[in-house]
Amino acid sequence: MRWPNALIFAACFGAIASSTDAAEDLGDADAGKVVFAKCIGCHQVGKRAENTIGPHLNGVFGRKAAGLDGFNYSKSLVRAGNSGLEWHADTLSAYIENPRAFASGTRMSFRGLKDSEDRANVIAYLRAFSDNPQDIPEADPTAIGTDHSIDPTILAIQGDPEYGAYLSSECTTCHQIEGGDEGIPSIVYWPDDDFVVAMHAYKDKQRPHPVMQMIAGRLSNDEIAALAAYFNNPE
């Protein structure tokens, strides 16, 4: 699991965001090339790819949302990137399923790929244009992180976002729910596992912040999962 250096949290929530890679099958890259025909009006990929209506998609895996120099992104994606969102198989799949639901305010007009197989296939196709695509399973998006000791049964808990919203008031006394990252960085749009790993690092006193240790220590596994589900997409 990769830990982004950009999320250095002061005050209430320290930086422990990571990118949880999708464990699902990558799909069929050849079939994905056919699916990508729906995207090619706005996005280029491959040799000599350039930004057009949308950014080029070479090297998209592991890149911060709105992180490609030279492209004018929507404010919603810039905000999500500043909050720690990176493009990996799971986040790409969620985004292309319904772009406007994932990031309200995005200028991407594409209505989305509802078919999970189509999404897996196009992600497999895009992977050919990522760094070291031949290194399976080490290369993104198939690498599985090991640099935390959280019990997989804890990570598997399905959090209730409505319960998370109820619990969130203590968090939002410090963190901006709209995703702003001035002063104290944002905690919205994190993948659920990243949030859970971060909170358990405080709960187990692996992260030296007494306020966060106290807050996390009061929360049950189910409550942490609920907060993770809520802050993943509070909209």
Side-chain angles (χ1 to χ4, degrees):
M1 187 174 286
R2 295 169 300 283
W3 305 95
N5 293 328
L7 295 177
I8 309 298
F9 277 44
C12 288
F13 206 97
I16 301 199
S18 64
S19 297
T20 303
D21 303 306
E24 62 189 38
D25 293 339
L26 278 177
D28 183 333
D30 290 336
K33 183 177 181 179
V34 176
V35 177
F36 189 74
K38 299 179 180 181
C39 314
I40 205 167
C42 296
H43 297 281
Q44 294 185 9
V45 70
K47 190 175 181 179
R48 293 188 292 275
E50 297 179 348
N51 297 332
T52 56
I53 295 172
H56 75 73
L57 299 178
N58 290 343
V60 67
F61 290 104
R63 192 161 71 206
K64 184 178 84 169
L68 186 65
D69 291 340
F71 186 79
N72 184 24
Y73 291 94
S74 61
K75 291 182 179 179
S76 61
L77 278 183
V78 171
R79 184 169 64 243
N82 288 339
S83 298
L85 176 65
E86 290 183 350
W87 295 127
H88 301 281
D90 51 355
T91 49
L92 281 169
S93 181
Y95 183 57
I96 63 179
E97 180 179 9
N98 190 334
R100 292 187 181 275
F102 186 90
S104 60
T106 179
R107 291 196 296 270
M108 185 164 164
S109 59
F110 183 59
R111 299 182 68 177
L113 291 175
K114 306 307 178 187
D115 187 283
S116 60
E117 184 175 357
D118 282 349
R119 295 197 304 274
N121 290 342
V122 79
I123 287 169
Y125 173 65
L126 291 175
R127 187 178 186 279
F129 306 97
S130 64
D131 294 336
N132 302 318
Q134 73 280 6
D135 293 335
I136 298 174
E138 291 79 9
D140 191 8
T142 58
I144 299 174
T146 57
D147 52 354
H148 68 77
S149 57
I150 303 301
D151 188 329
T153 60
I154 293 176
L155 292 176
I157 296 172
Q158 296 297 309
D160 180 351
E162 291 186 5
Y163 185 37
Y166 171 76
L167 296 171
S168 67
S169 60
E170 188 168 29
C171 305
T172 55
T173 57
C174 294
H175 300 283
Q176 300 179 46
I177 192 60
E178 70 273 12
D181 61 349
E182 297 179 2
I184 297 171
S186 173
I187 56 173
V188 301
Y189 303 119
W190 284 27
D192 290 11
D193 284 2
D194 298 352
F195 191 102
V196 172
V197 169
M199 290 299 291
H200 278 277
Y202 286 113
K203 191 179 181 73
D204 298 336
K205 294 182 169 53
Q206 295 173 353
R207 294 288 298 181
H209 192 290
V211 174
M212 282 307 305
Q213 288 177 357
M214 176 186 68
I215 292 171
R218 295 200 303 257
L219 295 171
S220 69
N221 294 340
D222 287 334
E223 288 171 332
I224 290 174
L227 285 167
Y230 171 65
F231 282 114
N232 177 276
N233 190 359
E235 299 176 0

